[in-house]
Amino acid sequence: MFPRSLITLLSLLVVCTQVAAEESRAPVWKLSLAVGEGVIENPLKGRDNGTTSLLPSFSYYGERFFVSNLTVGYSLLEQKNLYVDLVVRPNEDGIFFQLDRDDYTMASLSNILGSTGGAFGWTPENISRDISAVAGPSATFVTAPVDISFAYFQDITKVHYGSETHLSFDKQYPLFGGSFAWSLGAVQKDADLVNYYYHLRPEEAGRFAYSYTRQFPPDDVTDRYARIQFAYPLGKHFELKFAAKFNQFDLDGRNPLMIEKPETLSWFAGVQYSIGGDR
């Protein structure tokens, strides 16, 4: 199993990763370590938030191949105002189930005592789901006021066999001697993905699982988010760094009993040290 601290780092990398399209094509590599304070709010009921004081990151952009933290891609088309890539990245829903691993003791005790949870109701701490990886095409249209990105990703790890569709509007600007980036986006997740992560099985909730399914049938959901980043140089290798992401989770296709916070705010603030150079 993954250590909780590692899962928190992975989660914040997903939250804080944002690269402007025109910047992402420079053939450079960069290795960074930020020290500060970071929090990722967990929307799941009965789960703790993740916290960390360290945030490592790595990026490499070559002629075709690129890596940006947990995202790996290959460029299919590069034009002045259009980029088309094949991308592999983690699905963030599975990460939420790994932020709080204190449930192992409770789950083990339930097995020892022979409790199925179905007779007296389920406890959210006992629910476990795997992290999946998704892959697919991504296209970015670069314009002066805003960059528009569209992507379709399919599960390639045989975890839930679901898919997700992304639409985002992004831009990066110079600001106060540093750089500021913003992003507004929506992610549609299909019923297969939603059913795996946000609905209960008979072995978890007993006879109540069927009642929940009838009451809250699995369906496609559309989650929305807003993200900002600001970096201010302090020298050749150091900079102040702040990143935040606000998530709004669609409850219509989920079992709402599994969600405690349909709106979450995750962030990181600190000082970052970076090394890197041209390819």
Side-chain angles (χ1 to χ4, degrees), residues 42-172:
N42 198 331
L44 298 176
K45 185 176 181 180
R47 305 286 178 134
D48 291 339
N49 296 331
T51 60
T52 185
S53 58
L54 298 175
L55 184 63
S57 62
F58 172 76
S59 62
Y60 169 79
Y61 298 99
E63 183 176 351
R64 292 286 183 181
F65 176 77
F66 63 90
V67 178
S68 179
N69 290 326
L70 302 180
T71 299
V72 179
Y74 183 81
S75 176
L76 298 177
L77 175 66
E78 295 184 24
Q79 296 181 350
K80 181 179 179 180
N81 299 110
L82 174 63
Y83 302 113
V84 179
D85 306 315
L86 285 178
V87 175
V88 180
R89 54 169 292 169
N91 161 270
E92 69 178 2
D93 298 275
I95 294 176
F96 294 137
F97 287 88
Q98 308 296 332
L99 282 175
D100 182 355
R101 301 311 303 166
D102 295 334
D103 58 295
Y104 284 123
T105 300
M106 182 179 295
S108 299
L109 184 60
S110 296
N111 289 331
I112 292 172
L113 296 178
S115 172
T116 63
F120 305 100
W122 60 280
T123 56
E125 295 85 357
N126 288 343
I127 306 304
S128 179
R129 299 289 187 268
D130 294 330
I131 298 175
S132 63
V134 294
S138 173
T140 300
F141 301 90
V142 180
T143 68
V146 66
D147 301 334
I148 304 171
S149 298
F150 177 84
Y152 174 81
F153 299 126
Q154 180 73 37
D155 174 28
I156 59 173
T157 48
K158 300 181 179 180
V159 172
H160 49 75
Y161 299 94
S163 65
E164 47 187 80
T165 304
H166 294 237
L167 175 65
S168 67
F169 301 88
D170 316 86
K171 205 61 182 179
Q172 179 170 301

Side-chain angles (χ1 to χ4, degrees), residues 2-10 51-52 99:
F2 296 102
R4 180 177 174 181
S5 59
L6 176 58
I7 293 298
T8 301
L9 290 175
L10 297 179
T51 60
T52 185
L99 282 175

Side-chain angles (χ1 to χ4, degrees), residues 148-204:
I148 304 171
S149 298
F150 177 84
Y152 174 81
F153 299 126
Q154 180 73 37
D155 174 28
I156 59 173
T157 48
K158 300 181 179 180
V159 172
H160 49 75
Y161 299 94
S163 65
E164 47 187 80
T165 304
H166 294 237
L167 175 65
S168 67
F169 301 88
D170 316 86
K171 205 61 182 179
Q172 179 170 301
Y173 312 94
L175 181 67
F176 303 134
S179 63
F180 174 79
W182 62 268
S183 177
L184 295 175
V187 183
Q188 184 186 59
K189 301 170 183 179
D190 74 359
D192 289 331
L193 185 153
V194 174
N195 185 48
Y196 176 78
Y197 284 117
Y198 298 102
H199 287 268
L200 297 167
R201 296 151 173 66
E203 60 268 25
E204 295 167 342

